[in-house]
Amino acid sequence: MTTTTRPTPTVSVLAEHVSDHLSVFVVAEDTDAKRPANGGLRLLNYPSDEACIADGERLAGLMTHKHDLYGTGFAGGKIVARAKEPAAVKDELINVTAELLKSLDGVMITGCDLNTSLEDMERLTELTPHVLAAVGSPVDASAATAHGTLGAVEAVLESELKDAKPGRALVHGCGAVGGTVAQTLVEHGWTVFTVDLSRERAGFPGATPLPQGCPWWELKLDLLLPCSISGLINAEMASALRVTSVVPAANAPFQSPQLADALRQRGIRVLPDPLVNAGAVIADSIERFSPDAWKDAGAKDVYAFVREEVRRRATDYLNQRDQGLSVGAALNEVAAAPATDPIGLSFGDAA
C-alpha cells in the first residue's frame, strides 16, 4: 500500500478592515469562486490584531483539513473579528463583513461561529449572497455537527446506538452540539455525566451533572466527548483518563497533539476532531451544490445523511488504524480524492 502525503495549503489574510474598536480579517487559502473558501465568522476580544490573525490562520488550517477530508468542494477559511466590546459592534461587524465578502466576489463564504448567530447571518444574507448558514431552512448547523458526532460514536462502538449496549459517557460542554449528543445517549439508556458552566444545560432529565471543580477526568468511562473548548485536556488530565474512546466534537481538544498520541499508545481510541465535527460543512456542501434537493429535504434527511457519512469515514479510519497505519496515513487513506465531486452532490443523487 502506497501512502502519499498532501501538501498543506498556505492560508493568509485575503481582506481586512482595521479600526480602533473593530478589526475583521478574512483568512483563507488562495483560491477562487469555483472552489470558494468556507468558514464561520468568529467575534472575540482578542488581545491584539496579531493574535486575531494567528487564530484565524490556525482555524482556517483546521477548516482546510476538514473540507479536504470530506471532499466538500470548499477550500479552508475563517473570518475572525476583534473588538473590546463584541456585543456593541454587531451592526458594524455585519456591514463590514458584507463589504469584505463583496470585495472578494465569491472567493469566501461564511456562516456562524463564536459570538455570531443565525440572526446575524440572516442580516448578513440581506447584504451579500456569500453566506451558507441554512438561513430559512429547518436545518440547524449545530444539530448537523451533533449528528455527525453521533455517527462517529457509532463508529467506535461498531454498532448503531439503538443496538449498542449502553455504557458510561461524559459530555463536556452541553451547548447546541454537546446537549444534543448527551440527550441522545440518555435516550438510548446510557449513564451520561455532564459538565457545563450552565447548571440548567447540564441538568436535563436523565443526566448526571457534575459540580464545578469536580475532577471528571478521573471517572471510568466508555466514552469521553469533549464538546466545549479547544485545549481542554492538559497533560495531568490525559495521564489520569480511564476511558475506552475519545470522540471530540470540539476543535483541538488536547493542549498538544502528543497527549492524544500518548492515549493511543495506551490502547485508547482517539478520533481526530476534523473527522468527528464535520457535520456543518457537509450540510454547507449540500446547500451549495445540491440546492434543489436541499430545498425539498427535511432536517431529518440532512442529519441522517451527515450521520451516515461521518460514521462510514470514521469506521474506515479505525479499520486503517487497526491495520497498523499511523494517524496521518490513515486520514490520508480515507480522505476524499481531490478530483471527487463535492459530497453535497451525493445527497442530491440520493434525493
Side-chain angles (χ1 to χ4, degrees):
M1 180 183 296
T2 301
T3 300
T4 57
T5 302
R6 304 181 189 190
T8 302
T10 300
V11 298
S12 60
V13 177
L14 302 186
E16 65 180 60
H17 165 91
V18 178
S19 70
D20 290 339
H21 59 283
L22 175 65
S23 296
V24 185
F25 303 95
V26 180
V27 186
E29 295 180 56
D30 184 12
T31 186
D32 56 41
K34 293 180 181 177
R35 183 175 175 261
N38 169 264
L41 169 58
R42 174 172 294 204
L43 173 62
L44 290 174
N45 180 13
Y46 290 101
S48 65
D49 284 350
E50 291 75 18
C52 183
I53 292 170
D55 198 35
E57 291 173 343
R58 177 184 70 84
L59 294 165
L62 290 171
M63 293 300 296
T64 292
H65 192 187
K66 197 180 305 185
H67 287 306
D68 288 350
L69 188 58
Y70 281 92
T72 62
F74 299 112
K78 209 76 172 178
I79 304 180
V80 284
R82 170 184 176 240
K84 289 183 179 178
E85 299 181 29
V89 299
K90 273 295 185 74
D91 289 341
E92 185 176 359
L93 173 67
I94 298 303
N95 290 325
V96 166
T97 301
E99 290 302 316
L100 293 176
L101 290 171
K102 287 179 190 175
S103 74
L104 292 171
D105 196 22
V107 168
M108 177 71 193
I109 296 173
T110 197
C112 298
D113 203 291
L114 289 179
N115 290 324
T116 56
S117 64
L118 181 59
E119 181 182 345
D120 296 326
M121 293 305 109
E122 290 171 347
R123 294 167 58 200
L124 187 59
T125 301
E126 293 174 358
L127 302 176
T128 175
H130 308 306
V131 179
L132 286 174
V135 172
S137 163
V139 176
D140 179 88
S142 295
T145 300
H147 283 274
T149 303
L150 291 167
V153 167
E154 291 178 327
V156 300
L157 296 177
E158 301 179 6
S159 170
E160 292 187 29
L161 270 174
K162 64 183 179 64
D163 299 322
K165 179 182 177 182
R168 289 160 57 91
L170 184 138
V171 178
H172 195 287
C174 296
V177 174
T180 297
V181 171
Q183 289 179 43
T184 302
L185 289 172
V186 166
E187 289 166 5
H188 285 85
W190 283 65
T191 298
V192 178
F193 301 96
T194 54
V195 179
D196 196 280
L197 294 175
S198 166
R199 294 288 292 176
E200 182 179 354
R201 285 200 304 246
F204 63 88
T208 303
L210 299 178
Q212 294 299 319
C214 174
W216 53 264
W217 52 91
E218 295 179 357
L219 292 175
K220 187 174 181 180
L221 302 165
D222 297 290
L223 289 173
L224 171 61
L225 296 123
C227 300
S228 53
I229 58 172
S230 298
L232 168 69
I233 302 171
N234 61 27
E236 177 189 354
M237 295 173 181
S239 64
L241 282 177
R242 296 184 297 159
V243 60
T244 304
S245 301
V246 181
V247 182
N251 289 320
F254 295 93
Q255 291 189 357
S256 75
Q258 290 76 19
L259 298 179
D261 291 338
L263 292 183
R264 294 183 179 109
Q265 289 170 11
R266 289 166 47 194
I268 296 172
R269 282 183 155 182
V270 182
L271 287 182
D273 50 279
L275 194 61
V276 176
N277 60 19
V281 299
I282 295 173
D284 282 349
S285 186
I286 299 170
E287 185 177 1
R288 170 79 174 186
F289 297 105
S290 294
D292 292 337
W294 171 266
K295 228 178 287 182
D296 296 337
K300 288 184 178 179
D301 299 321
V302 173
Y303 300 155
F305 178 84
V306 166
R307 186 163 173 165
E308 179 55 31
E309 289 296 324
V310 175
R311 178 185 175 183
R312 181 175 60 80
R313 207 167 300 258
T315 297
D316 289 347
Y317 164 84
L318 290 169
N319 288 338
Q320 296 293 338
R321 290 283 289 143
D322 288 344
Q323 293 176 36
L325 269 67
S326 68
V327 172
L331 286 173
N332 278 331
E333 284 296 324
V334 305
T340 303
D341 286 337
I343 193 172
L345 285 175
S346 301
F347 182 84
D349 292 342

